[in-house]
Amino acid sequence: MKISERGKKVSIIGTGNVGATVAFILSMNGTCHEVMLRGRNYEIALGKAIDMSQAANAARQHTIVQAAKVPSDISDSDIVVITAGSPRTPGMSRDDLLITNANIVKNYAKEIKEYAPNSIIIVVSNPLDVMTYVALKESGFPRERVIGMAGILDSARMAHFIYEALGYGAGQIRATVMGGHGDSMVPLTKFTTVAGVPIEDLFTNSEIVDIVRKTRNGGAQIVELLKTGSAYYAPAKSTAVMVEAILKDTKQIHSCAVYLEGEYGARDIVSGVPVMMGADGVERIITEMVLKHKQKESFQKSVEDVQNMVDTLYRLNFFKEGE
Ligand code: NAD
């Protein structure tokens, strides 16, 4: 059945802060007909689903939010968003966390392959680029249907810090961030404008360096303030932007994490690049952006960081044939 004949369904795996907030945004905007919350704990998922369905009624929206009782409840999803993930706990190394979350994503990718084989997967769980790689390999989906959320968030953070430095232009700032979601992200000042004016004409070099530093530190700043968790409003909104781009077939350009096959010099790895998004997911990777030498170097370094983590998974035999 075509999407238009049966209404659009978005399943969200993981009903924590990001997952629940994505569901809330979608239901408040009436972006789809059905949101299916798939959590570890059915009652919590159900409680949130009922609460949101009631909110949708208050907002005069048609979206129904439901909770998945069994894995097959995600069947017929047009999009499945993976937000399940464990936070780092005391005594846990980065590699331990990598393996823990890779296993979570692996299990759900298999579930999606079985019950929603035609869906588009949006990955949010961290470490983002590696988890997108895992979801791609374990689902066996083509690369245009497995997309990581990071660039839209990092770009929004950069726009925020530009506004903070300027004191005007909020909502008119177009920032572009490429590369991995982490310390080695690559904010592209050359392609960043305020109402069309390049920021390189608005700030001194050292002011731009400060904006870039704040952008890289944007997530950590919020963790430090919240103390018990990480940011979720901007991450959830950024994810909802991707969902809308697909369901509304907008063909707009967003920075997203995708599997690269030679684009920007990277192969068999996931990293953030500008892509055109539409009903088929990533419909085109924009390769026309000419990077400065330093930006190319930063992008390469960022890809290497992700490659190191993927190599760790291979070393630990994580991707076993036939499993
Ligand atoms: P959270 O702790 O509020 O929620 C995590 C959810 O994952 C919970 O519902 C929990 O039950 C579930 N979960 C944990 N272990 C699980 C397991 N073994 N099996 C199934 N489900 C499990 O966290 P959050 O703030 O919602 O963040 C979710 C993920 O998104 C984290 O990995 C976080 O680092 C990541 N994140 C990514 C970005 C990005 O830019 N890509 C931004 C923010 C958060």
Side-chain angles (χ1 to χ4, degrees), residues 276-313:
M276 183 185 87
M277 291 184 73
D280 295 327
V282 170
E283 298 190 356
R284 194 174 153 205
I285 296 180
I286 309 298
T287 51
E288 289 83 356
M289 238 171 27
V290 181
L291 303 184
K292 292 177 180 172
H293 179 68
K294 233 181 143 194
Q295 291 171 337
K296 270 190 204 158
E297 272 183 3
S298 307
F299 183 73
Q300 240 163 19
K301 161 83 179 65
S302 175
V303 165
E304 276 166 27
D305 288 350
V306 178
Q307 187 67 60
N308 286 339
M309 286 188 270
V310 169
D311 288 347
T312 302
L313 291 180

Side-chain angles (χ1 to χ4, degrees), residues 14-19 40 83-86 101 104 108 124-126 128 149-150 153 181 230-232 235:
T15 55
N17 284 335
V18 176
R40 255 193 309 186
T83 72
S86 186
N101 282 353
I104 293 172
Y108 284 121
V124 181
S125 311
N126 271 325
L128 188 272
M149 188 292 290
L153 170 64
H181 182 54
S230 53
Y232 53 98

Side-chain angles (χ1 to χ4, degrees), residues 71-83:
S72 60
D73 284 341
I74 68 163
S75 297
D76 290 331
S77 297
D78 299 291
I79 298 176
V80 182
V81 181
I82 305 180
T83 72

Side-chain angles (χ1 to χ4, degrees), residues 30-50:
T31 309
C32 50
H33 293 78
E34 185 181 350
V35 174
M36 181 63 68
L37 292 180
R38 166 114 174 82
R40 255 193 309 186
N41 180 316
Y42 172 66
E43 289 197 351
I44 292 177
L46 183 61
K48 292 189 183 190
I50 294 170

Side-chain angles (χ1 to χ4, degrees), residues 34-276:
E34 185 181 350
V35 174
M36 181 63 68
L37 292 180
R38 166 114 174 82
R40 255 193 309 186
N41 180 316
Y42 172 66
E43 289 197 351
I44 292 177
L46 183 61
K48 292 189 183 190
I50 294 170
D51 195 6
M52 281 186 227
S53 279
Q54 292 169 354
N57 275 286
R60 304 273 188 270
Q61 288 293 3
H62 61 288
T63 305
I64 303 295
V65 187
Q66 312 215 62
K69 224 172 188 168
V70 289
S72 60
D73 284 341
I74 68 163
S75 297
D76 290 331
S77 297
D78 299 291
I79 298 176
V80 182
V81 181
I82 305 180
T83 72
S86 186
R88 201 158 142 202
T89 47
M92 207 180 194
S93 72
R94 271 182 199 282
D95 282 358
D96 292 340
L97 181 70
L98 174 69
I99 289 290
T100 303
N101 282 353
N103 276 316
I104 293 172
V105 171
K106 180 192 223 173
N107 290 338
Y108 284 121
K110 286 182 175 165
E111 211 174 281
I112 296 167
K113 183 183 182 179
E114 185 169 356
Y115 297 110
N118 300 316
S119 62
I120 293 170
I121 302 177
I122 297 178
V123 181
V124 181
S125 311
N126 271 325
L128 188 272
D129 305 271
V130 189
M131 294 305 118
T132 306
Y133 186 93
V134 169
L136 181 108
K137 295 288 173 187
E138 299 296 337
S139 66
F141 283 13
R143 67 171 179 162
E144 54 273 20
R145 289 203 281 126
V146 184
I147 321 167
M149 188 292 290
I152 299 176
L153 170 64
D154 295 329
S155 303
R157 284 183 173 152
M158 185 167 175
H160 165 82
F161 291 118
I162 290 169
Y163 164 75
E164 217 178 55
L166 266 185
Y168 60 85
Q172 295 186 302
I173 302 166
R174 299 285 171 267
T176 309
V177 177
M178 267 178 79
H181 182 54
D183 297 343
S184 57
M185 69 176 74
V186 188
L188 299 180
T189 53
K190 183 181 163 190
F191 300 102
T192 299
T193 59
V194 180
V197 182
I199 60 161
E200 294 177 349
D201 295 344
L202 292 167
F203 293 108
T204 63
N205 243 347
S206 70
E207 284 168 335
I208 290 177
V209 167
D210 196 46
I211 288 166
V212 167
R213 182 188 58 75
K214 285 180 172 162
T215 303
R216 289 209 173 106
N217 193 44
Q221 179 193 17
I222 294 171
V223 169
E224 216 168 279
L225 291 165
L226 296 182
K227 299 200 170 58
T228 55
S230 53
Y232 53 98
Y233 292 114
K237 178 60 191 172
S238 305
T239 308
V241 166
M242 292 170 71
V243 171
E244 276 169 31
I246 295 165
L247 295 184
K248 293 183 182 166
D249 194 21
T250 64
K251 316 276 190 215
Q252 288 183 335
I253 316 281
H254 297 286
S255 181
C256 297
V258 292
Y259 184 78
L260 299 174
E261 291 171 343
E263 294 87 358
Y264 293 99
R267 191 173 291 280
D268 188 27
I269 197 71
V270 168
S271 194
V273 292
V275 301
M276 183 185 87

